[in-house]
Amino acid sequence: SAQIQRSRGDLRILTDSMPGQRLPAGLRDARLQLNLHGSALDTTLNWDSEHMGTVKAQASTQLNWLDAGVQWSPQAPVQGWIEANLPQVGAWSLLAPPGWRVQGTLASRVALSGTRSQPQWQGRLQADNLAVRSAVQGIEFSQGQLIARLQGQQLILERLNLRGAGTQGGELQAQGQLGWQASNAAFELANPMGSAKLLLKMQAKGLRVSNRADRRLAVSGEVTAEMDKGQWRMSGLVQADQALFILPEESTPSLSSDVRVVRTEITPPAKIPHTSATSWLGTPDVQIRLDLGSDFQVQGQGLQTRLAGQVLLVSNSTTRGLPRLTGQVRTEGGRYKAYGQQLDIDTGVLRFNGAYDNPDLDIIALRPNLSQRVGVQVSGTALLPRIRLY
């Protein structure tokens, strides 16, 4: 037998309620115990704290003693259970990317039976008061709830819903299931999801995706995500209900030409050999149609207009995982300031046929209230535009 147990002391955790400060976890008990009697192996875990919740678990199985050592047979029976209750703490944010905050409570009760190669899970998971926030991106989802159940070798997502920012932030709903088939052989670390099968359907209704002052976006639509034999696919239609993007002005402050920054004793970074990026998820196959809707406003850099149109977003092995856009975006009215004049946009078309950041341009902006058509014409591409008086 072996046991690891807390004898004294506590942990301090970060919380969103007190930014920059650490709250004592209020640890009362932390104990992990392992007992081996003949071929029977039993483990027990107990975690009890005031602010980091409680987790209790117990598991047992059978080992085979051989001349070459100990063997855990694929047909060895397994049995156990786990019960967890985690309160609303900011420690969830440790699992999120930098700059993101995640909150929520979690309650679960799961039982385990079957064999090592064919484990059978039964139980329920429920998370309440879910919230995801990124101040930099203007993303703020709250009032979320997740209800799922484990059945055999499947995780069935009965409900996942999140509310967008504000009183009219809209809602995101999702349902689906994740199934997996354990292998009789050793677990393959190179492809842990190779035997997994996922089906996830997401629906947005007026969901406010971004609520920044210079970037507001609310969308509706449906997206389906599937994964089978390690291949990930996404498809659907997303429409912008309302959008406002304010482009940064070209008059952004910069250093004068007579200011020089000199750095000394800087060791150049070591060169990292270039290798092709690989992922156990492979290259996703994405086909999503994007509709700009009837209220997609763009302002800044002398431009003020409304955009309309549809484009198809494609990303797969043929494009080497890079996003490609196909379609056309056009301006609906608007004005453009150039050469000290306020010009009316007569023609404004962006044609996408490949790289998302380099569409073909067909733009004509004219001086208003003149009998002659006089203005500016822009052609070429976004990365290499050609501008001339018209």
Side-chain angles (χ1 to χ4, degrees), residues 186-209:
F187 187 68
E188 299 180 4
L189 292 177
N191 188 13
M193 300 296 287
S195 59
K197 190 172 183 178
L198 170 71
L199 175 61
L200 182 64
K201 295 183 178 180
M202 297 166 284
Q203 183 179 24
K205 298 179 180 179
L207 179 67
R208 189 161 295 280
V209 178

Side-chain angles (χ1 to χ4, degrees), residues 133-269:
R133 186 174 74 255
S134 172
V136 175
Q137 301 297 333
I139 297 175
E140 185 177 353
F141 300 145
S142 61
Q143 304 178 42
Q145 185 183 51
L146 180 148
I147 298 178
R149 73 176 189 272
L150 283 163
Q151 181 175 326
Q153 293 183 343
Q154 280 190 332
L155 174 65
I156 300 175
L157 179 61
E158 296 180 352
R159 182 172 64 186
L160 170 62
N161 56 308
L162 288 166
R163 299 283 304 177
T167 57
Q168 298 180 346
E171 187 178 23
L172 172 67
Q173 298 179 348
Q175 292 179 324
Q177 59 186 34
L178 170 64
W180 61 91
Q181 184 69 36
S183 173
N184 292 334
F187 187 68
E188 299 180 4
L189 292 177
N191 188 13
M193 300 296 287
S195 59
K197 190 172 183 178
L198 170 71
L199 175 61
L200 182 64
K201 295 183 178 180
M202 297 166 284
Q203 183 179 24
K205 298 179 180 179
L207 179 67
R208 189 161 295 280
V209 178
S210 180
N211 200 36
R212 275 177 32 172
D214 61 340
R215 186 192 304 167
R216 296 204 302 267
L217 176 63
V219 300
S220 296
E222 295 184 1
V223 174
T224 300
E226 300 178 75
M227 185 175 63
D228 189 12
K229 298 179 181 179
Q231 179 61 45
W232 181 273
R233 292 183 295 273
M234 292 185 67
S235 61
L237 170 64
V238 178
Q239 176 178 314
D241 297 325
Q242 190 275 331
L244 172 62
F245 286 84
I246 300 178
L247 308 176
E249 298 293 342
E250 294 180 346
S251 58
T252 302
S254 60
L255 292 176
S256 302
S257 58
D258 60 342
V259 177
R260 294 186 179 182
V261 179
V262 179
R263 298 181 180 181
T264 58
E265 300 180 0
I266 298 296
T267 303

Side-chain angles (χ1 to χ4, degrees), residues 48 89 94 103 145 158 189 194 204 225 260 271 347-348 366 388:
D48 185 8
V89 295
L94 297 177
Q103 287 185 326
Q145 185 183 51
E158 296 180 352
L189 292 177
R260 294 186 179 182
K271 293 185 178 180
T347 302
L366 304 176
R388 68 181 184 90

